[in-house]
Amino acid sequence: MIGRILGNRYEIMEKIGGGGMALVYKAKCQLLNRYVAVKILRPEFTSDEEFITKFKRESQAAASLSHPNIVNIYDVGMDDQDIYYIVMEYVKGKTLKQIIKEHGPLNPEETINIAKQISLALHHAHSNHIVHRDIKPHNILITDDGRVKVTDFGIARAVTSSTVTNTGNVIGSVHYFSPEQARGGYTDEKSDIYSLGIVMYEMSTGRLPFDGESPISIALKHIHEDVMPPTKVNEGIPKALEDIIMKSIQKDQVKRYGSTKEILEDLNQALKQPTGDFVRFEEDDDSPTQVIPVIKDNDMPKGKLGNPKPRPEKIKSNRLIVWGAVATAFVLALVFIGSIFFFKDIFISQEKEVPAVIGKSYEEAKQNLENLGLTVEEPQEQYSSEYDEGQVMFQDPKAGENVKSGYPIRLIVSKGAKLTEVPNLINKNIDEIGFILENAKLKEGTVKYEFNSLPIGIIISQSPEAGKNAPEGSGVNILVSQGPETKLILMPNLVGEKIESAKRIIETSNLIVGKIEYKTDEKIEKDTVIEQSLAAGTETEENKVVDLIVSKGPEGATQPSEENELQMKAVSLGINYNRAKQEEFILRIMKKQNGITTEIYRATHYKSKEGEKIIIEGRGKATIEVYFDDEKVAERNIDFETGSLYE
Ligand code: ATP
Ligand code: MG
C-alpha cells in the first residue's frame, strides 16, 4: 500500500493502526497539500456486498456531521473496484485506550473533561439522528493539546452478523456493548450513553467493569451481572461522578439518562459539586405498566368448576347420570377454554410490529399506525433539509420494534427546510470554510478543482452565490484552485543559431532569455550561440530562464554588434519591500524591449531590510517589471540613456 495513490490524490505514506474492519494509514492529499488519515476496508469485507452498501451509506451519513469533537470525514471512495476507503481528518495524538494503558486511572477532572467532550460529540450526532453504536476508547482520539475527537460514527452499523463472526472484531467492542446490543436487540441513542458510561468507568478506575474469556461470556455479563461500584475499585472517585457512571450504565434503557444533554448537565454540576448528591435515579417501580391478572378458577364467570350445584335427588338410572356428567363436563370445559381466550384478549394485549413511517405524510403515517391499534402522540415539528414539509422525519420506537397495542408512538414532522443566508467563500482557503459554513448552518457541497492563477486551495467560485438564501443543512458547491497549470516544454536547440533568432525561439517557447555572455571563439562565427544553460531536448516548465553563451568571433576581430550591449548604461532602481509576503523572497526584474522579455536580475532578499537600491543595466527605452516571488508588484518604463523612469 505504501506509496500508492488512491483517488488520484491521496498518497499513502505510513500505516498508523488497524482494527477489526480496516487498516488506517497516514496519507498526503496531493491536491490540497495536507495530511489526512485514510481508512481502508480489510479485503475480507470487500466481497460482502451488503456490507459495502451499508458501509457507504453510513460513512456518507457520518460525513454530514461537522463538529469540533468529531473527526471530520472528507471523502469516501473506491479504487480499482476493490479498495474501499474513507478519507478523514488526520488527528495527531493518541487514542484514549493508549492513554489509559499508559497512565492508569485518570483523575476525576480529567475523566469529566473527556466525558463532556464525548457527550458534546454524541449530542451533535444524536440531534442529526446518527447513533454511534461503537463508543469505545479506541474510537476516541485525543490530540496532543487535549482535545477529544470521536471517530467511526455509525460505521459499526454496517457490521452484519456474518461479518462479525467472520473476523471476531467485536471482541474489542463487546466490553462496551449495552445489554440491548449484546442481546442483538434494538439500539438507539441510549446505547451510546451506556457505552459512554463504561468508558467513564474505565477512565476513572483503569479497569473494565466486565471481562471474560469469550465475547459471549462478556455479553452475558452486560445483560445479567451487576457492576462493582467504581469506588470499590478506586476510592478516590467522588460521589457525583460515581452516580453519573452508575446512572449511565443502567441495564434498563428507561433508567439511564434520557439524553446526552442530561448527562452534560450532571457532568458540569459534578465539576462544581464533586461530592453532591444530585444525580436522580429512576425509582424502582413495582407495578408493571401492563397488568396481567392471574386467571384463577373462582374468577370464572358461571364457571362453577369448584363446587357444582347439588343435583336433584331423583335418580332414575345410573347410566343417565354418567352421560349427564360427561355432557356437563364437556360444556364446562368449552366454557372454560372460551373464557381463557376471552380474557387473554382483554388482558394480554397482542404485540405489534411498528411499521416504518419515516418519509410518509403525517396523515398517512397516523392512519397506518392507528389501523394497527397504536396511538399517535401529538406530533412535534422540526425544520429539515432532508424531508419535505409535512413528512414524518423521525419515529420512536423505530420500525421493526415490537410493542403492545395502544403503545404511544412519537413522531417528528418536518416543517420543511429553514432558510439561511449563504456566506461568501470566494478567495477563502478551503481549509477555513468548514467553520464559516457551520456557522451559517450549511455544509460543503460538491468540490471541483481547476487550474487557476490563484494559489492552491483558494476558492474561485461558489454556488449558490453569497447573499442568496439556501435551506439549512444544504450544500454549497465550490470550485477550488489547483494553482497555475505548469505546462512542460521540450527545450529547443539554440546552439548554432544567431543570437537574435535564439532570443525569438526562447520567447515563442514561453521561456525567458537570461544572461547573455560573449566569448571569443576562433572557429565559430560571431553572434552565434555556443552554449545554452538548459540542454536541448530536456523537459522543462514554462517560464524557465535560459542563459546563453555567444561567440564574439576570433580574438581581435571587429567588435560584434551585440558588443554594444556590453557598454550598457547603469540605472539605480529604488525598490520598497513592503509588498513582500514573506520575510525571505526572490526579487526578479524583467526587461521588456522590442517584444523580447529578458530576466536581468534575480536574487534572494529580506523584507526586514524594508527596501534597497538595485543597479540594472540596459540601452535605450524599455519596460521594467518587478516581481516578488512570482507576483508582479511594479511595472515602469525606463530610458537607460537618461536614467529616467516614467509610468
Ligand atoms: P474498530 O475496527 O472496531 O473501529 P479500532 O477503532 O481499534 O477498531 P480503527 O478504527 O481501524 O480500529 O483505527 C485503528 C487505529 O488507527 C486507531 O486506534 C488510531 O490509533 C488510528 N486512527 C484511526 N483514525 C485516525 C485518525 N483520523 N487520525 C489519526 N489516527 C487514527
Ligand atoms: Mg475505530
Side-chain angles (χ1 to χ4, degrees), residues 226-295:
D226 284 338
V227 168
M228 180 189 287
T231 42
K232 286 257 165 67
V233 188
N234 175 3
E235 285 181 348
I237 298 170
K239 170 163 178 56
L241 178 56
E242 174 163 76
D243 284 353
I244 295 173
I245 297 176
M246 293 307 283
K247 182 165 177 182
S248 308
I249 57 175
Q250 291 292 315
K251 302 211 184 294
D252 183 352
Q253 277 169 300
V254 179
K255 292 187 183 164
R256 283 177 218 153
Y257 281 99
S259 70
T260 40
K261 197 163 157 265
E262 290 175 18
I263 253 203
L264 271 167
E265 282 163 9
D266 277 1
L267 285 168
N268 281 325
Q269 188 68 16
L271 281 178
K272 289 184 231 152
Q273 238 189 307
T275 53
D277 184 11
F278 53 84
V279 175
R280 280 190 290 130
F281 286 88
E282 289 272 328
E283 302 267 305
D284 247 332
D285 193 356
D286 280 336
S287 55
T289 16
Q290 198 84 34
V291 187
I292 306 165
V294 181
I295 301 166

Side-chain angles (χ1 to χ4, degrees), residues 133-150:
R133 289 192 175 77
D134 196 15
I135 287 291
K136 54 177 178 178
H138 321 66
N139 282 339
I140 295 161
L141 305 173
I142 315 254
T143 64
D144 293 339
D145 55 357
R147 268 174 309 133
V148 171
K149 299 235 172 209
V150 183

Side-chain angles (χ1 to χ4, degrees), residues 288-295 343-344 346-349 404:
T289 16
Q290 198 84 34
V291 187
I292 306 165
V294 181
I295 301 166
F343 276 87
K344 204 175 161 206
I346 292 180
F347 294 109
I348 312 171
S349 36
K404 305 252 160 56

Side-chain angles (χ1 to χ4, degrees), residues 15-26 36-40 42 45 71-72 87-98 132 134 136-141 149 151-152 155-156 159 169-173:
K15 190 171 149 189
I16 46 181
M21 239 166 49
L23 295 173
V24 180
Y25 296 88
K26 181 175 178 179
V36 293
V38 178
K39 186 162 195 174
I40 302 179
R42 287 184 185 273
F45 290 103
V71 173
N72 227 329
V87 182
M88 53 188 161
E89 175 185 358
Y90 172 69
V91 180
K92 198 165 165 293
K94 289 182 178 163
T95 66
L96 181 57
K97 191 76 189 175
Q98 281 170 294
H132 189 294
D134 196 15
K136 54 177 178 178
H138 321 66
N139 282 339
I140 295 161
L141 305 173
K149 299 235 172 209
T151 182
D152 283 353
I155 291 165
V159 180
N169 81 65
V170 266
I171 298 174
S173 303

